[in-house]
Amino acid sequence: FQEMAEHIREEVGKMGIPHEKSTYGVVTISIGAVFGPVGESMAMEGFLRLADEALYEAKAAGRNRVSYRRVPETADPVWTSRGQQAPDK
């Protein structure tokens, strides 16, 4: 998973698409990725929130980076589709 995200980031840079306003001179990407166990009751909002946090972390670290967030072992209510606490396993 992490290797795939890094590979995508590297390949976009290798394309050499000109970007005059970039400090790199070419188009680059930052990726915010989420990993961990996924249950059927998980809500998309929780994943998107974590991916968004990871993306902003990557950009704040200098852009053209990959940052990750792990799905928490103990989910808060936003992680479930019905707004109920996820059961412990």
Side-chain angles (χ1 to χ4, degrees), residues 13-62:
K14 287 179 185 177
M15 293 173 74
I17 301 168
H19 187 334
E20 294 176 13
K21 295 182 180 180
S22 169
T23 57
Y24 296 95
V26 295
V27 171
T28 62
I29 61 170
S30 294
I31 299 174
V34 180
F35 67 97
V38 179
E40 290 182 19
S41 64
M42 296 288 191
M44 184 59 64
E45 292 82 10
F47 290 104
L48 293 176
R49 183 186 73 213
L50 288 179
D52 192 52
E53 289 173 6
L55 175 60
Y56 281 97
E57 178 181 279
K59 289 181 175 185

Side-chain angles (χ1 to χ4, degrees), residues 40-82:
E40 290 182 19
S41 64
M42 296 288 191
M44 184 59 64
E45 292 82 10
F47 290 104
L48 293 176
R49 183 186 73 213
L50 288 179
D52 192 52
E53 289 173 6
L55 175 60
Y56 281 97
E57 178 181 279
K59 289 181 175 185
R63 300 184 180 247
N64 193 31
R65 298 177 189 266
V66 179
S67 183
Y68 307 93
R69 289 287 186 278
R70 181 170 177 74
V71 173
E73 301 264 338
T74 305
D76 62 33
V78 74
W79 288 97
T80 64
S81 58
R82 293 180 193 84

